[in-house]
């Protein structure tokens, strides 16, 4: 329900932006670079939330990685998903600046947060999405 509300909110916001453009009225951020950066950052955050939450594989990663580094083979076993599906979702999360993949000290490929900021962001999302939700334990 929250994701539907978020999508509707984003759609309404986008519609307002388009409608405002047809009236040729200036946007408040046209003259305020700081406000423009804030709006852009907010829009990127909304896009990341919608993308990550709408993909069950990305959601499964987001619900785990802020709390512990994830060995890819363990994630495959926990979710019963194929390596290509997990790697594709991981790649998308990497492109959003949320995670990175590296070799751990045992030589295993591991998914970790890109930064402490990314870790905290994913923790907030996971606390909202994953508590009491077995969908984060995806089985396909």
């Amino acid at each position: 329900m929250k994701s539907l509300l978020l999508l509707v909110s984003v759609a309404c916001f986008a519609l307002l932006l388009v409608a405002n453009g047809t009236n040729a009225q200036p946007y408040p951020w046209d003259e305020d670079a700081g406000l423009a950066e804030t709006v852009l950052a907010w829009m990127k955050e909304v896009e990341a939330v919608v993308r990550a939450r709408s993909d069950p594989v990305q959601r499964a990663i987001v619900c785990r990685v802020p709390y512990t580094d994830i060995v890819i083979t363990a994630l495959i076993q926990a979710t019963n998903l194929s390596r290509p599906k997990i790697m594709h979702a991981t790649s998308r999360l990497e492109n959003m600046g949320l995670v990175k993949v590296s070799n751990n000290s045992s030589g295993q490929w591991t998914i970790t947060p890109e930064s402490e900021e990314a870790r905290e962001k994913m923790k907030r999302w996971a606390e909202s999405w994953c508590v009491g939700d077995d969908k984060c334990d995806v089985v396909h």
Side-chain angles (χ1 to χ4, degrees):
M1 184 64 180
K2 285 183 182 179
S3 61
L4 179 60
L5 183 58
L6 180 62
L7 286 172
V8 169
S9 298
V10 170
C12 289
F13 183 71
L15 185 60
L16 286 173
L17 291 177
V18 170
N20 193 30
T22 61
N23 293 333
Q25 297 174 0
Y27 297 112
W29 51 82
D30 283 345
E31 297 176 12
D32 184 348
L35 182 58
E37 287 181 33
T38 301
V39 170
L40 181 60
W42 178 82
M43 290 178 78
K44 284 183 178 183
E45 173 93 10
V46 169
E47 178 187 15
V49 168
V50 170
R51 287 179 185 267
R53 180 133 192 218
S54 66
D55 181 338
V57 183
Q58 288 182 46
R59 188 174 59 242
I61 295 168
V62 166
C63 287
R64 289 174 171 84
V65 78
Y67 303 103
T68 185
D69 297 347
I70 301 172
V71 175
I72 292 174
T73 53
L75 185 60
I76 291 168
Q77 291 173 347
T79 60
N80 289 323
L81 294 169
S82 67
R83 179 177 293 275
K85 282 187 178 182
I86 289 174
M87 296 310 295
H88 185 69
T90 301
S91 176
R92 286 195 234 140
L93 292 170
E94 277 183 302
N95 291 339
M96 289 186 244
L98 295 172
V99 301
K100 61 184 174 184
V101 178
S102 58
N103 273 323
N104 66 13
S105 59
S106 303
Q108 298 173 311
W109 289 101
T110 305
I111 305 168
T112 58
E114 176 63 41
S115 64
E116 282 306 309
E117 180 183 335
R119 180 186 305 277
E120 291 305 313
K121 182 184 295 189
M122 288 187 291
K123 272 186 186 178
R124 287 192 311 272
W125 295 353
E127 289 168 4
S128 171
W129 304 348
C130 306
V131 176
D133 180 4
D134 63 356
K135 290 181 183 174
C136 286
D137 292 324
V138 182
V139 177
H140 286 252

